Structure formats: C-alpha cells, structure tokens
C-alpha cells in the first residue's frame, strides 16, 4: 500500500449539547474531498478519540465511510489503552470498509521497546488491514526507537509510520534507511518540506483541518520540485501552525476548521475551550495566512 498526498485526521464536530454533530461531520468530509485530499483519518488524536464512547467511535467511522465511500483512502485510528482493545477496533474498521489502520503504543502503560514491538506484532497478526505505526511520544509517553521501527518494517502487514516525534534527525534516519514496502509519513505540522525534500510522499496533518487546500498545494509544489512555491505556502501558514504546536492544538484545529468557516463545536473535557480572546487571536492568524 502506498501513501501519497495529504491525509486529514478529522476533528469530531460536536453540537451545542456536546453530542456528535453528524451533519457537520458530513459537511467536513465533503469539503475535504473537494479540496483534493488523498485520505481521511477517523478517530485519530485530532478527533479526540480518547473522549468518545464505543458507540460514538462507531458512529464517526460509519459516517465518514458512508460519505466518502471509495473517493479517498480511509484510515481508522484504533488507539486504545490495551493491545486487545485495539485489535477489536481493527475488526470493526475492516467490517466498515476502511483501507488501513493507524495505531500508537498504548498510552499510560509506558511499555519498553520489546513491549512496543510485541504490541504492534500482535496487532498486525490479528488485523486484516495494513497498519501505520503512529509515533507521538508527547501523547503516549514513549518513543518508537529506530531499531524497533526497522524490525517492524519487515512485517508484511505494517506498511508505514506516521512520525510525530518532532525529532527530524530521527525521521531522517528512517528516510535514509531504504526500507522495503514501508513508508515514512510526515506527522509534524512544521516539518513537511523537510520530509518531502528527503523523499517522503505523504503528510498526515492535523492542521489540514484548518488549511486543506493550502496543504494540498504545498504537497503538489514539493512533488514538482517547486521549493520556492512550497516555502511561500509554508510561510503563509506558519504563524497559525506555530500557534497550534505551542498549545491547545485540538481547540485550535476546531476553531480554525476550513479556514474558520465551519463551526466544529468545542472540545470535550478534560480539554477546555479557548476563551474569546484566544479564539479571536487564532482565527486572525488563520485568516491572515
């Protein structure tokens, strides 16, 4: 399986009562497809998967699949506190027609590298869909080290890594490794040009909720070798991207959704919403891009 383009880990819109707003989720999916994204990730970190009930996760997966159909690559986030629960979520995604899975080390338990490797190997052995490793140590508390990635890359059902550590030296080592049938995907909002320059073909970008068209254009420019155009697009987006990376990421992904034209509602506890001044300040950055 090959990944090429912009893949959006969708926010999960909530209504005024804090319930999933399926109408706005449908609108969001259609808008993203209209902007030319290559794929959609449902129930990822930006989608607040950890705050959703089992029934709500199922509703999000069903809604995204029903609207998108086969018009984009569909990736289901199956992260959970245990390997067993992630495997159960993978079976659901397969039944709903998803194309691939995205899985991180379980948060909170802090497994060592042997445990991380066993977690992914067990999942890969029991999941019928290809798996993207998701390395986000700021959220999980553990880093998937290079040697672990190299070992897992040999598994036929593990096809890529979304590298979100922020450590580009680690990412570059992976990009230089020449893995067979295994891709390194940019997972950092502020590093796509670096990744594309060194041969990455895809970007799973939470900020694509805010800038889908701009990120598709940046990807096309980089793939065409038009680095000046890529830098120009990045310069315009960077103030908002830097603000997101500096804190309140999920809140800002929702506040700026589709260049702040779609009201995706507020986040759920334990996250708190932006206050009015913070919201305005961020939206001003988005609209100034």
């Amino acid at each position: 399986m090959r990944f090429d383009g912009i893949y959006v880990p969708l926010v999960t819109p909530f209504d005024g009562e804090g319930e999933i707003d399926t109408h706005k989720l449908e609108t969001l999916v259609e808008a993203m497809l209209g902007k030319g994204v290559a794929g959609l990730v449902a129930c990822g970190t930006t989608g607040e998967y950890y705050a959703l009930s089992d029934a709500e996760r199922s509703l999000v997966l069903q809604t995204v699949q029903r609207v998108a159909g086969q018009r984009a690559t569909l990736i289901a986030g199956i992260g959970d506190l245990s390997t067993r629960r992630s495997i159960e979520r993978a079976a659901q995604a397969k039944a709903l027609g998803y194309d691939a899975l995205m899985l991180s080390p379980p948060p909170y338990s802090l497994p060592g590298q042997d445990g991380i490797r066993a977690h992914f190997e067990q999942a890969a052995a029991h999941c019928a869909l290809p798996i993207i490793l998701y390395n986000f140590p700021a959220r999980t508390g553990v880093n998937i080290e290079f040697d672990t990635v190299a070992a897992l890359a040999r598994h036929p059902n593990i096809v890529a890594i979304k590298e979100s550590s922020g450590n580009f030296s680690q990412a570059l080592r992976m990009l230089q490794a020449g893995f067979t049938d295994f891709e390194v995907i940019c997972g950092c909002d502020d590093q796509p040009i670096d990744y594309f320059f060194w041969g990455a073909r895809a970007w799973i970008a939470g900020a694509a909720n805010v800038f889908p068209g701009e990120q598709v254009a940046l990807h096309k420019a980089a793939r065409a070798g038009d680095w000046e155009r890529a830098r120009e697009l990045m310069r315009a987006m960077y103030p908002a991207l830097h603000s997101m990376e500096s804190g309140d990421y999920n809140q800002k992904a929702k506040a700026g959704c589709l260049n702040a034209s779609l009201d995706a509602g507020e986040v759920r506890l334990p996250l708190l919403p932006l206050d009015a001044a913070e919201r305005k300040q961020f939206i001003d950055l988005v609209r100034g891009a």
Side-chain angles (χ1 to χ4, degrees):
M1 187 172 187
R2 302 304 302 273
F3 299 92
D4 193 341
I6 302 299
Y7 297 77
V8 190
L10 297 166
V11 299
T12 301
F14 297 131
D15 62 22
E17 302 300 318
E19 303 300 321
I20 293 174
D21 190 326
T22 54
H23 175 69
K24 285 184 178 174
L25 182 55
E26 292 167 359
T27 300
L28 180 60
V29 170
E30 285 289 0
M32 291 297 172
L33 297 177
K35 295 293 185 180
V37 304
L40 305 169
V41 182
C43 297
T45 305
T46 314
E48 299 176 77
Y49 79 86
Y50 47 81
L52 303 178
S53 69
D54 287 349
E56 288 175 325
R57 285 177 72 149
S58 178
L59 177 61
V60 169
L61 291 173
Q62 290 177 34
T63 302
V64 172
Q65 195 283 328
R66 173 171 50 79
V67 177
Q70 297 182 338
R71 292 183 288 164
T73 299
L74 298 183
I75 302 167
I78 60 168
D80 213 301
L81 289 172
S82 74
T83 307
R84 178 176 294 183
R85 287 287 287 158
S86 291
I87 291 171
E88 291 170 357
R89 297 196 185 285
Q92 178 190 45
K94 170 66 174 176
L96 289 172
Y98 276 70
D99 301 298
L101 310 168
M102 191 167 72
L103 177 62
S104 64
Y108 192 77
S109 56
L110 303 178
Q113 293 302 303
D114 288 345
I116 291 171
R117 179 173 174 177
H119 165 71
F120 285 113
E121 288 177 339
Q122 183 82 351
H126 288 85
C127 296
L129 296 176
I131 291 175
I132 302 168
L133 311 177
Y134 182 16
N135 189 34
F136 199 176
R139 298 288 184 121
T140 64
V142 293
N143 183 55
I144 309 176
E145 302 291 346
F146 175 83
D147 289 346
T148 304
V149 174
L152 292 170
R154 294 194 289 268
H155 195 291
N157 209 32
I158 297 176
V159 297
I161 182 169
K162 177 190 177 185
E163 175 53 43
S164 299
S165 69
N167 180 356
F168 186 69
S169 178
Q170 175 170 284
L172 182 57
R173 189 179 179 194
M174 295 178 196
L175 288 162
Q176 294 285 322
F179 296 131
T180 301
D181 297 324
F182 182 88
E183 298 191 44
V184 180
I185 298 172
C186 178
C188 296
D189 287 331
D190 56 355
Q191 295 178 347
I193 294 177
D194 306 86
Y195 276 78
F196 294 149
F197 182 82
W198 287 104
R201 301 164 59 93
W203 183 13
I204 299 178
N209 286 281
V210 182
F211 297 114
E214 293 87 342
Q215 293 194 1
V216 168
L218 188 154
H219 175 265
K220 288 181 177 177
R223 296 284 280 132
D226 187 351
W227 300 109
E228 184 53 43
R229 176 59 176 157
R231 287 192 294 268
E232 176 186 343
L233 289 159
M234 191 66 184
R235 275 193 295 268
M237 290 186 286
Y238 184 74
L241 299 182
H242 178 70
S243 176
M244 293 178 73
E245 293 282 5
S246 298
D248 297 324
Y249 190 98
N250 287 58
Q251 295 92 322
K252 291 171 182 175
K254 283 191 163 181
C257 198
L258 295 175
N259 292 151
S261 67
L262 176 69
D263 180 4
E266 298 292 357
V267 290
R268 279 184 175 173
L269 286 171
L271 299 181
L272 292 173
L274 302 174
D275 64 33
E278 292 168 331
R279 186 180 184 89
K280 181 181 184 304
Q281 183 180 44
F282 180 68
I283 288 176
D284 286 346
L285 292 176
V286 171
R287 290 179 173 162

